[in-house]
Amino acid sequence: MRNTARVAPGSGEPAAEVPDHGPVRYGPSAPELGLPVLPELAAVVAAAAGGAGEEPVGGGDGLLAAAAGHWARRGLPTDPGHVAAAPGASALLHAVTAAVGGDVLLPRPCPAWWAPQLRLQGRRAWTVPTPAECGGIPDPYALLETVRRVRAEGGDPRLLLLSVADDPTATVPPPEALYETVRVAAGEGLHLVSDETWRDTLHPAPSAPHDARDTAPPTGGTVLIGPAEMFPEHVTVLTDLVGSLTPPGWPAAVALFPATALGARLRSRALDVLTALRATVATPVAAAAAYALDEPPEVVARAEAAARLHGTLAAALHRTVLAAGGLARPPRAGRHLYADLDALRPGLARLGVTDAPELETHLTERLGMPAPGGHRFGDAIGALRVRLSTGPLLGATPEDRLESLHAKDPLHLPHVAHAMHRIETALDVPGAGAHGTETPR
């Protein structure tokens, strides 16, 4: 009998570990681009690969200037002196959390790599439930209650992590909901790290519904506003380029610190941590990252086309989950769908599936693609939640993926239709309830 910790989904819980079943090394992989590398990016890497120089800790002038321009075009005027770069979001978040210190608060669910990294640092992390309408941010009232309770118990909450284009839920918080959460956090003296890796992957509105029975609201018109646009002195913005601009094997991430004395101290401390780790961006990767952040036409065109493609596939996944009797918030950004299959529990139990680790194993085997359970993202182990991804639907070969990218309706391609059919079949279990609704709680 395996030993698994079962955690009830109340507010303000410590982030749970899952011993014996699903070690961290078997968890979800880094963001998967799923598309062949742009020839222009490959050429930049090849041109820089012949140099013998090393990128400085925190990033060289070219990379920092490109990051500053990237944020300025998104309404965040930025001086390169307030930016730092690292080989991936994990190294950068490690440096920032070490610089801030204290206990950390996380929305539940949250990206799978946040809590394990904090445990590795010996940092106490507390999860707070998200509001009904979205993921990525904690409910403001639950956040306030948790902060005050942790302090009353002798804790030292200093940092809140959130994601405005969320992995795993693929949702975007409404500006008013985000404002209330950030206002509470700032009022309690918390520093915020806003993971905006998926910011530029918003799904455009479909030109026409694919199914007359589809009652989900259209995905167009989503407004994404980050917390740094509301309370800039309290927020560090983190962006992993792997999310939308570069391949997984080219790790690079950038962070924008507040233009304040505190921001300067945090950046300095973070650079100390990166120096101790010798965490520098490889020179060819830095060149490609700077090129991508400058957003030449071919990079913009690829990003927009990829957002359309993944949006189409995510909407199809959403319809499939609802038709099977499951629940899911409509996806607005990124490359995932977070599904609650509790309505299928009786049928799944007859297949030996009674919790999230068993659901992960069952669906991964049946689908032939990763289907990490909700326990990876901080949800209760007993909840039948799973994250499905659009990346594996693109096809098994570079040719298939490019065909998916350029297709007028990728859902009609044989390899995409076959993958979708496998998902429909895997979710077709006896005992499913009526058609699902949109918001899991």
Side-chain angles (χ1 to χ4, degrees):
M1 180 177 180
R2 73 175 187 274
N3 176 25
T4 55
R6 294 181 180 270
V7 184
S11 65
E13 296 169 341
E17 298 185 43
V18 187
D20 295 349
H21 194 298
V24 172
R25 65 182 180 275
Y26 298 130
S29 60
E32 182 67 46
L33 192 64
L35 294 167
V37 178
L38 273 173
E40 292 84 356
L41 279 180
V44 171
V45 169
E54 183 180 19
E55 191 81 357
V57 172
D61 291 343
L63 178 53
L64 300 186
H70 178 84
W71 276 308
R73 289 188 293 275
R74 286 152 181 80
L76 290 174
T78 302
D79 185 289
H82 300 142
V83 179
S90 183
L92 199 47
L93 182 64
H94 180 90
V96 174
T97 54
V100 175
D103 297 337
V104 183
L105 296 122
L106 314 171
R108 185 176 66 247
C110 68
W113 57 281
W114 284 1
Q117 183 176 101
L118 295 168
R119 287 199 297 269
L120 183 65
Q121 293 182 26
R123 194 69 55 83
R124 291 199 303 175
W126 304 87
T127 64
V128 184
T130 57
E133 64 268 32
C134 66
I137 62 172
D139 177 87
Y141 300 103
L143 175 63
L144 182 61
E145 174 191 353
T146 300
V147 169
R148 292 181 176 177
R149 180 168 59 80
V150 170
R151 284 182 178 145
E153 295 173 356
D156 183 23
R158 298 189 199 174
L159 180 63
L160 170 64
L161 305 186
L162 52 81
S163 53
V164 291
D166 184 43
D167 168 26
T169 67
T171 59
V172 174
E176 59 275 13
L178 177 65
Y179 177 83
E180 286 303 314
T181 294
V182 177
R183 183 182 63 82
V184 167
E188 291 298 314
L190 301 179
H191 190 72
L192 292 86
V193 170
S194 177
D195 184 345
E196 301 187 6
T197 294
W198 301 103
R199 179 181 184 125
D200 293 330
T201 65
L202 294 183
H203 301 162
S207 56
H210 289 285
D211 190 331
R213 296 170 299 172
D214 184 11
T215 58
T219 56
T222 300
V223 177
L224 193 155
I225 297 177
E229 297 161 69
M230 300 174 176
F231 292 83
E233 66 277 13
H234 294 279
V235 181
T236 294
V237 179
L238 174 68
T239 297
D240 189 345
L241 274 65
V242 166
S244 60
L245 295 175
T246 60
W250 302 2
V254 289
L256 170 59
F257 293 85
T260 63
L262 173 61
R265 289 196 299 271
L266 290 178
R267 181 178 183 273
S268 179
R269 292 172 189 166
L271 291 178
D272 285 341
V273 175
L274 294 173
T275 301
L277 297 174
R278 288 197 59 79
T280 60
V281 183
T283 300
V285 174
Y291 183 86
L293 286 167
D294 279 337
E295 299 179 289
E298 66 275 7
V299 169
V300 173
R302 167 61 70 86
E304 291 176 348
R308 286 194 299 272
L309 171 61
H310 287 284
T312 297
L313 298 176
L317 281 178
H318 183 244
R319 292 192 296 273
T320 298
V321 168
L322 297 188
L327 308 176
R329 296 182 178 102
R332 303 299 191 201
R335 293 156 193 181
H336 304 120
L337 182 81
Y338 198 59
D340 186 333
L341 304 183
D342 193 71
L344 282 62
R345 184 178 291 275
L348 288 169
R350 285 191 282 273
L351 299 174
V353 176
T354 61
D355 61 17
E358 291 168 349
L359 180 63
E360 173 182 298
T361 299
H362 172 76
L363 288 180
T364 297
E365 290 175 352
R366 293 202 66 184
L367 298 177
M369 57 183 270
H375 63 295
R376 304 279 189 186
F377 310 102
D379 261 332
I381 292 173
L384 293 178
R385 293 176 184 157
V386 64
R387 191 190 73 178
L388 302 173
S389 299
T390 56
L393 305 179
L394 304 185
T397 67
E399 293 77 17
D400 283 347
R401 295 168 192 158
L402 281 178
E403 186 180 15
S404 298
L405 181 69
H406 298 305
K408 185 176 181 180
D409 187 350
L411 297 175
H412 287 150
L413 294 175
H415 59 269
V416 175
H418 176 70
M420 288 300 306
H421 179 69
R422 292 189 68 174
I423 295 173
E424 292 169 3
T425 302
L427 296 180
D428 184 15
V429 298
H435 288 295
T437 56
E438 292 169 0
T439 306
R441 290 299 294 151

